[in-house]
Amino acid sequence: MKPDFESPLTPGCAGYCADLALDEAATQGVAQALKQAIGNLKGQLLAGQISSNAGLFHALCRLGQLQDMHNRLTGGDEDIEYLFSDDGECGRYVAGFLGDLSGVTDTHGQPLRVGDTVTMLRDGEPYEQMIILNHKGKSQLSQEHLNRHGAVFQTPFTEAGIMTAQRYSYPIIERQSCLTAYYLAQKRTRVPAKQPHKTGGQAR
């Protein structure tokens, strides 16, 4: 089988150890640069610096491309998943990347991540809510709100958490994948354009 030049190398014999060490060092540097690029682009999206629909789509596909390059280089299988908020009108934005820190904690001081579900009290009755970010990249539930209602971490992200979030007047929220968006975009570019059908007069 032909080796994949983008995948990690495996030692063939002891004589190549020095070369493999140099390759690993170079690979680590490139992998770190890719991670930094991913972090920078995430920051732009969360800060609302990319607002047009076309710009959002392009940036999310680019994140998928960068992650795909990182996976090929390191042999990993990571994805970049995010929550997409859409109010059905003009409020469309990335409501956080799943698993990233949200900047708030529960009442026990546990850091909360995007997609986590917390239990809170309203008029003495417990209810659940999911941690998502607003259009400025900050937690939709402020630290003051979480403290006042006694928020306690329950579970990491679950699909059921999305339905719970939408029950309390949040807009439509969807879980999406940057890798999937990138692969679909690549697939579309490979499809040959259909040639226009020529009439009899045009054919002559």
Side-chain angles (χ1 to χ4, degrees):
M1 179 182 294
K2 185 178 180 181
D4 181 355
F5 77 96
E6 292 176 311
S7 64
L9 300 177
T10 54
C13 62
Y16 297 135
C17 286
D19 292 332
L20 288 169
L22 288 173
D23 173 78
E24 183 177 359
T27 298
Q28 288 177 348
V30 175
Q32 289 172 359
L34 288 169
K35 277 297 186 185
Q36 183 175 352
I38 288 171
N40 290 342
L41 190 48
K42 277 183 174 183
Q44 292 177 35
L45 282 162
L46 295 179
Q49 296 177 1
I50 304 172
S51 56
S52 70
N53 290 339
L56 279 174
F57 176 76
H58 178 80
L60 292 166
C61 285
R62 177 68 76 190
L63 278 176
Q65 182 186 38
L66 292 170
Q67 187 60 59
D68 181 62
M69 292 167 65
H70 188 275
N71 288 346
R72 288 173 179 269
L73 193 66
T74 63
D77 60 354
E78 296 179 64
D79 193 359
I80 300 174
E81 294 184 308
Y82 61 97
L83 297 175
F84 194 72
S85 175
D86 185 354
D87 65 2
E89 297 179 0
C90 57
R92 296 163 58 90
Y93 68 94
V94 174
F97 294 92
L98 286 180
D100 285 3
L101 290 170
S102 65
V104 293
T105 67
D106 73 357
T107 53
H108 300 303
Q110 176 170 334
L112 297 172
R113 297 177 180 274
V114 173
D116 284 354
T117 295
V118 295
T119 297
M120 297 187 288
L121 293 175
R122 175 182 290 165
D123 298 326
E125 293 294 325
Y127 71 100
E128 293 184 339
Q129 190 55 283
M130 189 173 66
I131 301 298
I132 68 171
L133 306 185
N134 60 26
H135 65 284
K136 295 182 179 180
K138 304 296 183 182
S139 173
Q140 192 82 279
L141 302 173
S142 69
Q143 188 65 63
E144 180 185 3
H145 181 90
L146 293 167
N147 292 342
R148 186 167 65 249
H149 293 276
V152 177
F153 169 80
Q154 288 296 306
T155 61
F157 173 80
T158 63
E159 292 289 347
I162 290 181
M163 293 183 284
T164 300
Q166 292 177 164
R167 195 178 304 148
Y168 292 96
S169 302
Y170 278 6
I172 295 173
I173 301 169
E174 297 178 345
R175 174 191 187 179
Q176 298 190 18
S177 157
C178 289
L179 273 182
T180 299
Y182 170 62
Y183 293 149
L184 289 175
Q186 288 292 97
K187 186 176 180 180
R188 282 194 293 268
T189 60
R190 296 193 196 103
V191 176
K194 291 184 178 180
Q195 295 297 321
H197 178 70
K198 293 184 178 180
T199 63
Q202 289 174 322
R204 291 193 296 271

